[in-house]
Structures are given as C-alpha cells and as structure tokens.
Amino acid sequence: MRINPLYRLCFVLLMFLSIGISTQAQTNEQKALEAKRERLQKEIREINRLLFAEKKEKGNVLDQMESLDQKINVRQQLIRVTNQQSNLLNRQINTNIRNIGKLREDLKTLKKEYAVLIQKSYKSRSTQNRLMFFLSSDNFFQAFKRLQYMKQYTKYRKEQGEQIAAKTDTLTKLNRDLTEQRKEKDKLLAENRSAKKQLMQEMGIQKDLLGSIRQNESKYAAAIQKKKQETKKIDQQIERLIRRAIAASNKKAGNRATSGKFVLTPEAKIVADNFSANKGRLIWPVEKGIKSQGFGVYKDAVYPGIKHQNNGVIIATDQGAKARAVFEGEVIAILAVPGGNKGVQIKHGNYISTYYNLSNLYVKKGDRVTAKDELGEVYTNRFNGKTQLKFYLYKNTTRLNPEDWIYQL
C-alpha cells in the first residue's frame, strides 16, 4: 500500500523536530557541564598558584594538609563532572547511532519507491503518450481528473526527490556529529585518566602528611587549639564592634533602643535596600582569588570527628593584593587584634562587611567609600607564603553567608 505523500512528509518533519529538540536539550546540558569543568580546572590552577607555589619555607603541616584537602576535593568534583560529560556524550552517540540506522532504512525505502516512479516515468516519458492519455478521456470531467493526476504525480516525484536529498543531508550531518562526539569522548576519557592519576598522587602525599602528623599528635592538637583561639578572638571583636556601632548610631539618631538593630534614617534605608537588592551580585572583596575556606561548620582535614566553625569566608589571593569595598558605605570601625593583623568594618545601611587580615590600611573610621575602593593591603604570611583575606558579612548582629551574596563565590 502506497503511503500518502503528505503523511510521509509530516512524519519526516516530526522526526526531524524531535531529533532537533532532543539535540538542543543535550547541547544545553553539555554546555553547562563544560562551563563547570572549565571553572573547576581554573580553580585547581589557582589553588596550585596561590596555595602550592614554591616558597622558601613550607609552613606548618596543618596549612599543607588543609590546602591539599581542598585541592583533592576540587579534583574529585572535576572527575565527577568529566564523567557526567562522558556519559552524556555516550547517550548522544547512542541516540545518533539509532537515528542513523532509522534514516538509512527510510532512505532505502524512499530510494526504492523513487526508482519505481522513475521506471514508470520512463515508460510514459514522451509528450505524445501524456497527451494521448489526456485526449483519450471520455469527457471533460475525466480529462480534468487525469490532468490533476499528472500534476499530483509530478509533485509527488519532486517531493520524493526532496525527501531523499533532505534525509541524505541529515544522515551526512549525523555521521559528522558522531565522528566529533567520539573524538570529544576520547579526549574527556584521556583527561579523566590524567586527573585520576594526579588524584592518586595527591592522596599519596596526603597519606604521608597524615603519617607525619600522627607521629606527633600533640603538636597538631596544639596547632588546632591555637588556630581556634585566634579565630574566636577575631569573631568576638567583630561582633563587639558591631554592637558598639549599633549603639552609637542609634544614640546619635536620638534612639536609645538596645534591640541590637540599627535604627535607619531614610538615606540609610535606601543604601540597605540597594545592598539587599544586589544579593548574589556583589563584587569580590579582592580583584582576583579563590575561596580557600567556606562559611559554616566544616570537618577537620585530619580528624573528621573534630569540627571547625567559620563565621565568614577565607579568600586566597596574590601577594600585594588589595582588599576592596564590595558596596558603598561608611567605615565604622578599624579592627586591631592583639598579636594579629588589622581589619576594616563598613556599614551599608544595616548590613556590615568586615575585611580582616590586612597589613596596611588606606582608610580610617568615618570615611565614605564606594564599591571597588581600596581599603588596605592583604597580609602575606612569611612562614607559608599565603596571602589570605578573611571576609565577614552581617545584617545587624546576624551572621550571613557571604557565598550567598558575592557573585560566584
């Protein structure tokens, strides 16, 4: 039974449409994974550059262990993303193989039908035969029907030829895509093998470090305790200065409320509203760098049973880097922790951003700043060579996660 050309054409169009939609969805997913893979590769390069550069002194084992743990975590994420890309490519390859098989069958059928049409056309190829077929009609109505038939027959032949050409082009493209996909998959698999090899090397170094730590656990425990005390001292001073700034601001405004919240003037409310509206889009507090420690509770790199609390984020950057304001505001306090480094607090309405671990300051209390204004130089530790900024964010006295506010932190 001969299939109606219109039905066949609709079927072909629907098939092309479904292939197109599926391909587009897979392309979008592949682009998202590729962007994530590139971001992780860049992060590993920055970790190597900022945390593992050659130094005169290696620093303490605790610093080395934390940096290595961070790199291993990012490397594992990279391997997972690369596996996802490879699996997606594998699905695309299998889909294309099925589509190629279906198109070849359709093309074979179309060519067979087209050959029959050509044979029939050849037998009645002369103009005289077609004219006699038309003139031998019994009446005008039959002549009209025969004329319509000849037009439809010619149109059908043309459609068959167009379908063959279209399917041949699609088949050629799918074969070309298949070749490229296989090359891309081979490239990803090679990258993954290399990443896994590097991961094994890093885990070996980590194991050696772990062994050296456990040979002298008392020294490691003392380093942890010292770090916790330093962090606690900084956190306490930050929150004490915030409470003091709230009290002073409210007193100046003629309001002695002790609710722990700023009483905002109309101007300050505008700044606060603008700050809030930019959640997730605020600039980084340094021009270049990587997040070396995130916000919240995290497990110890050596003893997972030990938990640490980070009330802000730690950003590793280049030696000589400058801390910069993330938004317009007023400098409300200068931090100076005994035995530690310096810091700056900026008020943005009822939001407070804090920039700690600075060696030199470029601002003083009462200064007005705008976004990107330099606040001071970030301190570089002479023992481990690391340059790290500690950045905190509060709304009144409530801690906020800077990762939710700074763009792609």
Side-chain angles (χ1 to χ4, degrees), residues 71-161:
K71 185 159 72 165
I72 286 172
N73 287 334
V74 177
R75 183 89 66 194
Q76 288 171 334
Q77 289 180 54
L78 177 62
I79 290 170
R80 283 196 296 272
V81 169
T82 309
N83 277 333
Q84 288 175 325
Q85 281 188 282
S86 179
N87 291 336
L88 179 59
L89 271 174
N90 205 44
R91 293 199 300 272
Q92 290 175 339
I93 288 169
N94 290 334
T95 299
N96 275 351
I97 289 172
R98 288 195 298 272
N99 289 335
I100 286 170
K102 183 71 174 64
L103 278 170
R104 281 176 176 162
E105 286 297 317
D106 289 346
L107 202 53
K108 185 178 177 183
T109 303
L110 280 171
K111 285 181 176 179
K112 187 176 179 182
E113 291 179 359
Y114 193 68
V116 172
L117 285 175
I118 295 299
Q119 286 175 353
K120 287 181 180 179
S121 297
Y122 180 80
K123 289 178 182 177
S124 58
R125 67 187 181 280
S126 69
T127 305
Q128 186 179 0
N129 284 345
R130 291 196 294 272
L131 186 60
M132 288 301 297
F133 175 68
F134 178 70
L135 293 176
S136 63
S137 304
D138 294 335
N139 50 54
F140 176 79
F141 179 73
Q142 191 180 57
F144 177 76
K145 294 291 287 182
R146 288 184 176 184
L147 180 62
Q148 292 297 107
Y149 169 77
M150 285 190 287
K151 286 181 179 179
Q152 288 176 0
Y153 187 77
T154 303
K155 184 182 177 184
Y156 181 66
R157 268 188 59 186
K158 183 180 178 183
E159 287 174 352
Q160 289 285 85

Side-chain angles (χ1 to χ4, degrees), residues 59-309:
N60 63 44
V61 177
L62 178 60
D63 287 332
Q64 294 177 55
M65 195 69 187
E66 288 183 345
S67 299
L68 190 58
D69 194 55
Q70 182 185 356
K71 185 159 72 165
I72 286 172
N73 287 334
V74 177
R75 183 89 66 194
Q76 288 171 334
Q77 289 180 54
L78 177 62
I79 290 170
R80 283 196 296 272
V81 169
T82 309
N83 277 333
Q84 288 175 325
Q85 281 188 282
S86 179
N87 291 336
L88 179 59
L89 271 174
N90 205 44
R91 293 199 300 272
Q92 290 175 339
I93 288 169
N94 290 334
T95 299
N96 275 351
I97 289 172
R98 288 195 298 272
N99 289 335
I100 286 170
K102 183 71 174 64
L103 278 170
R104 281 176 176 162
E105 286 297 317
D106 289 346
L107 202 53
K108 185 178 177 183
T109 303
L110 280 171
K111 285 181 176 179
K112 187 176 179 182
E113 291 179 359
Y114 193 68
V116 172
L117 285 175
I118 295 299
Q119 286 175 353
K120 287 181 180 179
S121 297
Y122 180 80
K123 289 178 182 177
S124 58
R125 67 187 181 280
S126 69
T127 305
Q128 186 179 0
N129 284 345
R130 291 196 294 272
L131 186 60
M132 288 301 297
F133 175 68
F134 178 70
L135 293 176
S136 63
S137 304
D138 294 335
N139 50 54
F140 176 79
F141 179 73
Q142 191 180 57
F144 177 76
K145 294 291 287 182
R146 288 184 176 184
L147 180 62
Q148 292 297 107
Y149 169 77
M150 285 190 287
K151 286 181 179 179
Q152 288 176 0
Y153 187 77
T154 303
K155 184 182 177 184
Y156 181 66
R157 268 188 59 186
K158 183 180 178 183
E159 287 174 352
Q160 289 285 85
E162 288 172 349
Q163 285 182 39
I164 290 170
K167 288 207 173 192
T168 301
D169 288 345
T170 303
L171 190 58
T172 302
K173 184 179 182 304
L174 285 175
N175 277 317
R176 189 167 58 245
D177 290 347
L178 190 60
T179 302
E180 291 301 317
Q181 286 165 348
R182 282 174 170 156
K183 285 181 183 177
E184 183 65 22
K185 183 183 175 183
D186 289 342
K187 179 184 171 185
L188 287 172
L189 291 174
E191 283 187 17
N192 233 14
R193 284 193 294 270
S194 175
K196 286 177 180 177
K197 184 178 178 181
Q198 289 173 311
L199 179 64
M200 294 305 293
Q201 290 173 349
E202 289 159 0
M203 291 177 80
I205 295 170
Q206 188 184 51
K207 185 178 178 181
D208 292 341
L209 277 175
L210 195 58
S212 68
I213 288 170
R214 287 180 173 162
Q215 286 176 5
N216 194 350
E217 291 192 11
S218 59
K219 186 178 179 180
Y220 180 73
I224 290 179
Q225 190 60 30
K226 182 182 178 184
K227 186 175 180 180
K228 280 189 171 183
Q229 288 173 350
E230 289 173 352
T231 301
K232 185 178 180 181
K233 197 184 295 182
I234 296 165
D235 292 345
Q236 286 175 341
Q237 186 173 7
I238 287 170
E239 295 184 3
R240 184 168 60 250
L241 288 173
I242 289 173
R243 288 192 296 271
R244 191 181 297 171
I246 290 172
S249 176
N250 291 349
K251 183 179 179 181
K252 186 178 179 181
N255 191 316
R256 296 183 179 276
T258 56
S259 62
K261 293 182 179 181
F262 283 102
V263 176
L264 300 178
T265 63
E267 293 81 5
K269 189 174 187 311
I270 291 172
V271 175
D273 289 343
N274 288 338
F275 189 92
S276 179
N278 280 278
K279 184 177 182 179
R281 299 196 300 271
L282 295 173
I283 63 168
W284 279 52
V286 289
E287 188 176 354
K288 290 191 297 183
I290 57 165
K291 179 182 68 180
S292 63
Q293 183 58 61
F295 176 86
V297 178
Y298 63 98
K299 295 177 181 178
D300 187 79
V302 179
Y303 299 105
I306 298 175
K307 301 293 190 297
H308 301 282
Q309 171 74 38

Side-chain angles (χ1 to χ4, degrees), residues 234-246 262 325 327 329-336 342-348 351-356 358 361 363-367 369 375 391-394 396:
I234 296 165
D235 292 345
Q236 286 175 341
Q237 186 173 7
I238 287 170
E239 295 184 3
R240 184 168 60 250
L241 288 173
I242 289 173
R243 288 192 296 271
R244 191 181 297 171
I246 290 172
F262 283 102
F327 202 75
E330 178 190 353
V331 177
I332 57 170
I334 299 297
L335 285 79
K342 302 170 185 176
V344 175
Q345 279 188 334
I346 300 176
K347 174 177 173 284
H348 318 274
Y351 292 91
I352 303 98
S353 58
T354 302
Y355 313 74
Y356 180 73
L358 307 178
L361 299 182
V363 293
K364 62 184 182 303
K365 185 177 178 180
D367 285 353
V369 296
L375 308 173
F391 178 75
Y392 303 78
L393 198 56
Y394 282 75
N396 296 308

